[in-house]
Amino acid sequence: MDFTLNAYYTLISAVIILLIGQYLVKKIRFLQDFNIPEPVAGGLVAAIILFAIHALTGYQFNFHKELQTAFMLIFFASIGLSANFAKLKAGGTGLVIFLVIIAVFILVQDVVGIGLAAALGLDPLIGLIAGSITLVGGHGTAGAWGQVMEQKYGIQGAVTLGIACATFGLVIGGLIGGPLARSLIARHHLHLPAPQANNNLPVAKNSDVLNFEQPQKERLITATTAVETLALFAACLAFADYMTIIAKGTAFELPTFVWALGGGVIIRNALEYIFRVEMFDRAIDVFGSASLSLFLAMALLSLKLWELAGLAAPLMVILAAQTVVMALYAYFITFYGMGRDYDAAVLAAGHCGFGMGATPTAVANMQAITNKYGPSHKAFLIVPMVGAFFIDLINAGVIQVFIKLIG
């Protein structure tokens, strides 16, 4: 029997999950030491409880998908609204190097998936589904390409398979990023910025931190700036909805969240450089960080562990191998390639987040590290831009090439 919760109860459930996650991380030393994000900690508990209920009674709970999507779009819009041209320029050489590292990783991920699928007697396209389509691409890309795989290439159940793989990656990406960065910091005796107690953080000025950095830090906002910022988010979401509709079936067809991010970039820079309007980064940061946490909580609430448990053993072998490859690549390539310093360790944690899951997971991973060890402006400048925008463009091109080669 299925129970579907409407938007109100879905929101209530997500908030409860976040409160549980905060309590667990505060009370359990293991979660603190390994820098597990609060939404992941609380979400996994909820997923296990829902799995037990399903196993014992057959009951299944469904949550409001549109609300989850809305918070995801708000998060990506907040990235766009934070990306003025000055920040893009400030990314400099580090941004280019990180982009190259990520592009190579996408190729590696797909080669591993396709190669293992062929070795295990599966259709190579299934290996591509268990590769960058779902792991780098996330749920949106998994759903879109899953339909293509079913209709054009005859891969039965490709959508369900893709969603399951994307969900696996979302969880694993949130679990391995923190421990990996912690290991790098300890092994290389990296210089750590002085940590600050969460309950004694100074009030941030507009230029103190980058968006999504140090989410526990106070931001001074007013009702007026909050309303004006909400209007900006509404404009981004309306732009994303409109562009998704008119670009469908054309060469410019992109996931809706990419249009939300792009709309944010356009609106931000047009208002700032053409109309000389002051942007309220503090309010954008607050709404973006809150949306990030709520999106992750809802995504994990929707995790159906029985679907993952029902995956064929060969597919689980591929996903396990992808996890190992991700960890090794982030540890030895991302970290060393980005300079072997504290910023590089935080970037490695972020790479685990969107390399296996999604950009919100990457940001949550970095927040977990920087909350404990101190800020990393470089990481919070580079990862949101690469993980939310550039990576999807590169991934789309790589997927097209591999499909032509093996399809």
Side-chain angles (χ1 to χ4, degrees):
M1 183 181 296
D2 288 2
F3 293 95
T4 300
L5 278 69
N6 63 23
Y8 302 124
Y9 292 105
T10 297
L11 181 58
I12 292 171
S13 301
V15 172
I16 292 173
I17 291 306
L18 290 177
L19 293 175
I20 292 174
Q22 291 174 8
Y23 178 81
L24 292 175
V25 171
K26 183 178 179 181
K27 295 295 183 180
I28 301 177
R29 182 65 180 270
F30 171 82
L31 298 177
Q32 296 176 21
D33 290 344
F34 286 91
N35 308 109
I36 305 302
E38 293 169 354
V40 174
L44 284 177
V45 171
I48 292 171
I49 293 173
L50 292 174
F51 174 76
I53 292 173
H54 181 268
L56 294 173
T57 67
Y59 292 161
Q60 176 176 315
F61 290 87
N62 299 309
F63 297 89
H64 200 270
K65 292 291 186 182
E66 288 77 8
L67 188 62
Q68 177 183 329
T69 301
F71 280 116
M72 179 189 70
L73 293 177
I74 291 172
F75 168 72
F76 281 106
S78 69
I79 294 176
L81 289 170
S82 304
N84 62 0
F85 291 141
K87 286 184 180 179
L88 292 172
K89 183 179 179 180
T93 305
L95 176 63
V96 176
I97 294 173
F98 192 66
L99 193 58
V100 172
I101 289 172
I102 299 307
V104 174
F105 173 73
I106 292 174
L107 292 171
V108 171
Q109 194 172 66
D110 283 335
V111 168
V112 169
I114 294 169
L116 283 175
L120 294 168
L122 300 175
D123 189 319
L125 288 175
I126 293 180
L128 193 58
I129 294 173
S132 71
I133 285 180
T134 60
L135 301 181
V136 168
H139 288 80
T141 306
W145 279 104
Q147 293 179 2
V148 174
M149 294 293 184
E150 289 181 352
Q151 297 169 6
K152 190 172 181 180
Y153 298 99
I155 306 296
Q156 297 298 319
V159 173
T160 301
L161 183 64
I163 296 300
C165 290
T167 303
F168 174 90
L170 186 71
V171 175
I172 292 299
L175 290 176
I176 67 174
L180 183 139
R182 177 177 177 271
S183 174
L184 288 169
I185 291 169
R187 179 179 178 182
H188 295 275
H189 307 288
L190 301 178
H191 174 70
L192 310 179
Q196 303 180 75
N198 286 341
N199 59 355
N200 193 32
L201 290 173
V203 175
K205 295 180 181 179
N206 201 40
S207 60
D208 280 347
V209 294
L210 294 174
N211 289 64
F212 316 114
E213 191 177 5
Q214 301 180 28
Q216 302 300 326
K217 202 168 192 175
E218 292 182 10
R219 266 74 164 171
L220 290 178
I221 64 174
T222 65
T224 300
T225 58
V227 170
E228 292 174 355
T229 303
L230 284 174
L232 294 177
F233 281 117
C236 291
L237 269 58
F239 174 82
D241 184 61
Y242 177 74
M243 292 303 300
T244 299
I245 294 173
I246 67 171
K248 188 174 183 179
T250 71
F252 298 98
E253 183 174 358
L254 294 169
T256 304
F257 69 83
V258 176
W259 288 118
L261 185 148
V265 174
I266 294 170
I267 293 171
R268 165 70 185 246
N269 291 280
L271 290 175
E272 217 168 31
Y273 293 102
I274 298 176
F275 299 101
R276 304 297 179 183
V277 175
E278 181 182 1
M279 299 297 291
F280 305 105
D281 283 330
R282 295 187 295 263
I284 293 170
D285 186 17
V286 169
F287 286 118
S289 294
S291 297
L292 161 65
S293 296
L294 289 167
F295 162 71
L296 287 176
M298 292 178 188
L300 290 169
L301 270 174
S302 302
L303 174 60
K304 295 178 173 57
L305 289 176
W306 53 92
E307 290 184 359
L308 292 179
L311 290 174
L315 186 61
M316 293 306 297
V317 171
I318 297 174
L319 292 174
Q322 294 285 23
T323 302
V324 174
V325 169
M326 175 74 265
L328 292 175
Y329 193 94
Y331 198 99
F332 292 104
I333 305 299
T334 307
F335 175 69
Y336 283 85
M338 294 307 297
R340 299 177 58 185
D341 55 11
Y342 174 70
D343 288 325
V346 180
L347 283 166
H351 186 188
C352 289
F354 66 72
M356 288 294 292
T359 301
T361 311
V363 175
N365 281 352
M366 296 192 303
Q367 287 177 344
I369 295 296
T370 55
N371 282 347
K372 180 173 182 179
Y373 295 112
S376 173
H377 296 327
K378 182 178 180 180
F380 278 91
L381 180 67
I382 291 176
V383 167
M385 288 189 290
V386 173
F389 184 65
F390 293 111
I391 195 172
D392 288 293
L393 299 178
I394 296 173
N395 192 28
V398 172
I399 292 170
Q400 292 279 13
V401 170
F402 275 112
I403 284 181
K404 290 180 179 179
L405 290 176
I406 64 177

